[in-house]
Amino acid sequence: MEQTRLVPWVLCLCLSLRVCCLQTYDLNDKGGLGRVFDGIGGLSGGGATSRLLVNYAEPYRNQILDFLFKPNFGASLHILKVEIGGDAQTTDGTEPSHMHYENDENYFRGYEWWLMKEAKRRNPNITLIGLPWAFPAWVGHGKNWPYDFPDITATYVVNWILGAKQYHDLDINYIGIWNERNYDINYIKVLRNTLDKVGLTGVGIIAADGDWSIANSMISDSSLNDSIEVIGAHYPGTTTVANALKTHKKLWSSEDYSTFNDEVGGGCWARILNRNYVNGNMTATISWNLVASYYEELPFGREGLMTAKEPWSGNYVVASPIWITAHTTQFTQPGWSYLQTVGHLEGGGSYVALTDGKGNLTVIIETMTHDHSICIRPPLPPFNVTSQNATFQLNGSFASITKLQVWRSQFNFKTKKPSFFVDLGPLKLVDGAFTLSLGVDEVYTLSTITTAKKGVYPDPPPSAGFPKAYKDNFNIRNPPFSEAPHFADQTGVFEYYINLTDPGPHTFTLRQVVTSRPVTWAADADQTISVIGDYKWRNLTVMCDVFMESVDTGGVFIAARVNKGGESVRSANGVFFWVFADGTYKVTNDLAGQTVLAEGLSGTRAYGWNTLTLTVNGQLASGQLNGFPLWKNAVVLNPQSGWAAIGTKSFELAQFDNFAVVVD
């Protein structure tokens, strides 16, 4: 957009090459206000990015949630966006659907319901958004496309919204359109009509939750325009397009950041939170992802606002993006308005100002340099930032303000001693003005709001590797979540299962329940697989009882040294010990089963329990069936390390019990 910034006069000459001339910037509401602020948020899902969070013991899990959602404590997020699970790999794992099959509804699968309730418990005003990244196979009727039968797809999505209210008392505020790669105009209209028919007129549609291109169609199609409340773009690079502005709709960066959460990641977040509005009129920014609670070696490892990937140790890390978020969220709320007088600083950087219209004012300033604020995408054009002095003059209804609370973050890349979200106390204004000496790579908030706090808890336990001896018999009658602790489904869905036909030692099992490949955009595998453990595991023994439910065609495996997951799972290597319902076995060096290390007869059949044991030591692997050697001394040159895993030959029903790992 046209930059709205008043730079009325130069008050001094440059004092040195390092400090830029003193400039004055007007903060004024005389000419009216800018767009209404909709909030800052985080995204759980797309896919399975909060997977390990649910397995944290208390008090650590509550502490993590407080840093994310508790007002005036940490990130204090205004928005939570979650994946509507579709039984499919959607980046780092799979989340279960509320409808595996057309005649199946269950609104207690997965952990997003729990997460939304925890967020709502801390902040009753939080905005909730749902978005399907994928769909169960039945929605696509045999095609990898969900829109040939828009009524079915719309009903599937609306059922999730209704279930959220009926079973969890959660009001969903917005629903997104699948996904950043595809959308269908007719489906958007059908979805709007379906929402309205069941009384969900207040649920807004975000479209296309990808890029700005849908604005072209909205301008020429009034019914489409009427169906959409928000145009959502992913990784917009802080800019929008003319046609999006012409629609007069809310513009959001509905997925952004996606950057390693070190200090450069914090700098990325600081830059885009301001400039998404300054450059692009975007009134909400949502981070992918909320919290890095997935194995770091999966794609896009540690790209959350904070890190919580060790439930077995209790360790978590409150990373810099949490405190950068606080610079905005603890001093504003959705419903505030931006001033029209926002813009870029003369020496580089940006500033925004917001008001609640009741006399409160918040100003956020960032001076992030190019190399210290690079996001993973899109490419960042070069720009320069220098130290500078800046005076801000308050006019209009703000002229009578006499002091502002000041909070500062300094990245200090040279000294490597950053300080984040430091309360500098009140600053007295002189004739309605204040002057700051701004260094590079800094963030300031100046506000009339006095309730902000930097939340603190005792240090969590130290980081530790996954236990070297681990076992799980899945014997939980009423599990709090459908997933077993620490298992990260990569394709397929492995759920707790009560086998009422077998009231013996295998009454409680883990069952793979997806029987057809879902509708998905990711490069998932033809086989189902769930990984667990430590990516550095080298020499280990994996043991598991297995039960095939597909006669003749069925197959299951246990594995070690699995070296890939997420969107790369199709090309995973490792040591895979398979048994099949036709009475054979196979040992392969890859999930696809193309590189065979050993094979032969096993005598295994469907509907009978068998115990598989896989031992990998150095370059040799051996396997046992029901305690007896079946094969030995298969040569394994690569990979050198990786996770343990369980899985099936195809999308088929199968059960697993008494899983155990012992690492040498």
Side-chain angles (χ1 to χ4, degrees):
M1 78 175 187
E2 188 81 34
Q3 302 308 326
T4 308
R5 184 185 75 239
L6 299 182
V7 185
W9 57 88
V10 177
L11 296 181
C12 69
L13 295 176
C14 292
L15 301 176
S16 69
L17 293 176
R18 183 176 172 275
V19 179
C20 185
C21 304
L22 179 63
Q23 299 288 333
T24 295
Y25 304 91
D26 184 46
L27 300 176
N28 200 336
D29 61 353
K30 283 184 178 178
L33 297 174
R35 292 192 172 217
V36 174
F37 175 63
D38 294 307
I40 307 300
L43 199 168
S44 174
T49 52
S50 302
R51 173 63 195 91
L52 297 175
L53 172 62
V54 298
N55 301 132
Y56 271 79
E58 300 300 356
Y60 309 115
R61 190 172 70 179
N62 265 314
Q63 292 173 5
I64 295 164
L65 292 167
D66 282 351
F67 279 116
L68 292 169
F69 300 114
K70 186 177 179 180
N72 300 316
F73 190 85
S76 306
L77 293 169
H78 303 134
I79 299 170
L80 173 60
K81 181 178 179 179
V82 304
E83 176 173 2
I84 300 175
D87 292 342
Q89 166 60 243
T90 55
T91 296
D92 288 293
T94 297
E95 296 193 35
S97 171
H98 58 289
M99 297 178 70
H100 292 319
Y101 319 108
E102 194 165 6
N103 59 353
D104 160 70
E105 290 186 59
N106 184 325
Y107 297 94
F108 294 92
R109 296 183 183 124
Y111 39 83
E112 303 296 4
W113 311 108
W114 164 84
L115 184 61
M116 286 189 285
K117 287 188 289 187
E118 290 294 324
K120 199 80 172 178
R121 182 164 67 87
R122 287 165 173 81
N123 177 6
N125 297 318
I126 197 166
T127 298
L128 298 178
I129 304 171
L131 172 68
W133 268 255
F135 298 87
W138 65 268
V139 173
H141 283 256
K143 294 183 180 180
N144 194 40
W145 179 249
Y147 298 137
D148 283 349
F149 302 90
D151 289 330
I152 292 174
T153 305
T155 299
Y156 168 83
V157 171
V158 170
N159 282 349
W160 183 86
I161 301 173
L162 295 172
K165 182 62 176 179
Q166 180 177 351
Y167 296 100
H168 302 284
D169 196 26
L170 292 167
D171 293 302
I172 304 302
N173 303 104
Y174 293 93
I175 200 75
I177 303 298
W178 180 80
N179 65 55
E180 61 184 283
R181 292 165 174 77
N182 301 289
Y183 64 87
D184 182 270
I185 289 173
N186 183 50
Y187 167 71
I188 294 172
K189 297 177 184 178
V190 170
L191 177 59
R192 180 70 270 163
N193 289 333
T194 306
L195 289 166
D196 294 344
K197 285 179 181 178
V198 297
L200 295 173
T201 55
V203 177
I205 292 177
I206 304 171
D209 223 340
D211 60 27
W212 302 118
S213 61
I214 198 169
N216 303 331
S217 300
M218 293 170 67
I219 289 173
S220 60
D221 186 333
S222 60
S223 63
L224 175 65
N225 189 72
D226 291 343
S227 298
I228 295 170
E229 184 172 340
V230 178
I231 303 179
H234 292 190
Y235 311 99
T238 76
T239 63
T240 186
V241 297
N243 277 352
L245 293 168
K246 288 179 182 178
T247 66
H248 302 292
K249 296 290 185 176
K250 295 180 180 181
L251 308 180
W252 288 7
S253 179
S254 55
E255 183 178 322
D256 216 328
Y257 177 65
S258 186
T259 299
F260 195 78
N261 61 19
D262 58 7
E263 269 61 62
V264 172
C268 154
W269 189 231
R271 177 176 55 80
I272 65 178
L273 284 184
N274 264 21
R275 300 190 200 188
N276 274 349
Y277 186 75
V278 171
N279 297 340
N281 274 289
M282 286 167 270
T283 55
T285 299
I286 301 173
S287 164
W288 188 88
N289 52 68
L290 173 73
V291 53
S293 284
Y294 49 102
Y295 292 116
E296 186 171 335
E297 295 81 8
L298 290 168
F300 308 102
R302 245 186 74 185
E303 295 196 358
L305 296 177
M306 64 179 291
T307 301
K309 61 184 178 67
E310 289 188 13
W312 47 87
S313 73
N315 179 260
Y316 63 86
V317 179
V318 183
S320 62
I322 290 291
W323 304 120
I324 296 304
T325 309
H327 273 281
T328 299
T329 55
Q330 289 201 29
F331 303 93
T332 62
Q333 290 299 322
W336 284 43
S337 295
Y338 285 97
L339 303 192
Q340 292 186 28
T341 50
V342 303
H344 292 280
L345 298 169
E346 189 70 18
S350 66
Y351 65 97
V352 296
L354 303 96
T355 182
D356 63 354
K358 301 175 182 178
N360 284 309
L361 174 70
T362 290
V363 184
I364 305 125
I365 304 163
E366 60 80 23
T367 60
M368 297 309 305
T369 57
H370 178 277
D371 291 352
H372 294 153
S373 65
I374 296 174
C375 303
I376 189 172
R377 52 187 161 170
L380 183 61
F383 61 87
N384 294 316
V385 180
T386 61
S387 297
Q388 57 195 298
N389 294 316
T391 293
F392 292 83
Q393 180 69 54
L394 278 57
N395 287 308
S397 67
F398 311 119
S400 60
I401 293 175
T402 59
K403 66 178 180 179
L404 295 169
Q405 303 298 314
V406 184
W407 292 73
R408 182 180 67 189
S409 290
Q410 295 177 308
F411 284 84
N412 291 329
F413 284 97
K414 288 185 178 180
T415 64
K416 297 183 179 179
K417 294 181 179 179
S419 62
F420 293 113
F421 205 55
V422 176
D423 183 359
L424 300 183
L427 173 66
K428 291 184 179 180
L429 277 61
V430 178
D431 296 327
F434 64 89
T435 299
L436 296 176
S437 178
L438 302 172
V440 298
D441 298 324
E442 294 183 341
V443 180
Y444 280 84
T445 297
L446 299 98
S447 181
T448 55
I449 298 298
T450 61
T451 53
K453 294 179 182 177
K454 186 172 184 178
V456 63
Y457 280 118
D459 289 341
S463 176
F466 197 97
K468 291 188 175 182
Y470 180 81
K471 60 183 179 181
D472 194 339
N473 60 14
F474 312 122
N475 287 352
I476 303 177
R477 182 174 294 275
N478 295 302
F481 303 102
S482 57
E483 299 87 352
H486 315 327
F487 278 92
D489 301 345
Q490 298 302 299
T491 54
V493 173
F494 296 75
E495 295 181 345
Y496 279 111
Y497 179 65
I498 300 179
N499 187 349
L500 299 178
T501 64
D502 184 9
H506 299 296
T507 302
F508 301 93
T509 67
L510 199 65
R511 192 188 199 199
Q512 200 297 117
V513 298
V514 180
T515 56
S516 298
R517 188 185 182 206
V519 177
T520 182
W521 53 268
D524 60 349
D526 296 320
Q527 308 80 5
T528 73
I529 178 173
S530 187
V531 302
I532 187 172
D534 193 324
Y535 191 80
K536 297 177 183 178
W537 279 349
R538 175 173 169 81
N539 299 325
L540 67 157
T541 296
V542 184
M543 179 183 295
C544 193
D545 297 343
V546 299
F547 184 90
M548 294 173 279
E549 299 186 47
S550 297
V551 176
D552 295 333
T553 61
V556 295
F557 68 81
I558 62 173
R561 294 188 186 175
V562 178
N563 71 342
K564 292 181 183 178
E567 296 174 293
S568 304
V569 69
R570 176 174 287 269
S571 59
N573 293 319
V575 184
F576 297 84
F577 176 17
W578 311 71
V579 293
F580 303 104
D582 65 0
T584 63
Y585 78 91
K586 185 165 61 173
V587 184
T588 69
N589 204 185
D590 58 338
L591 177 62
Q594 301 301 306
T595 304
V596 179
L597 305 177
E599 58 185 334
L601 298 176
S602 63
T604 51
R605 293 287 186 267
Y607 293 98
W609 282 97
N610 292 281
T611 301
L612 303 184
T613 304
L614 169 64
T615 299
V616 184
N617 195 321
Q619 295 184 352
L620 298 177
S622 301
Q624 295 182 2
L625 176 64
N626 299 322
F628 296 96
L630 184 63
W631 54 276
K632 62 181 179 179
N633 296 333
V635 177
V636 181
L637 300 179
N638 285 295
Q640 298 294 314
S641 65
W643 298 290
I646 57 176
T648 61
K649 173 187 174 184
S650 62
F651 289 96
E652 62 188 86
L653 298 175
Q655 296 178 57
F656 302 84
D657 201 4
N658 298 319
F659 176 86
V661 175
V662 177
V663 181
D664 291 342

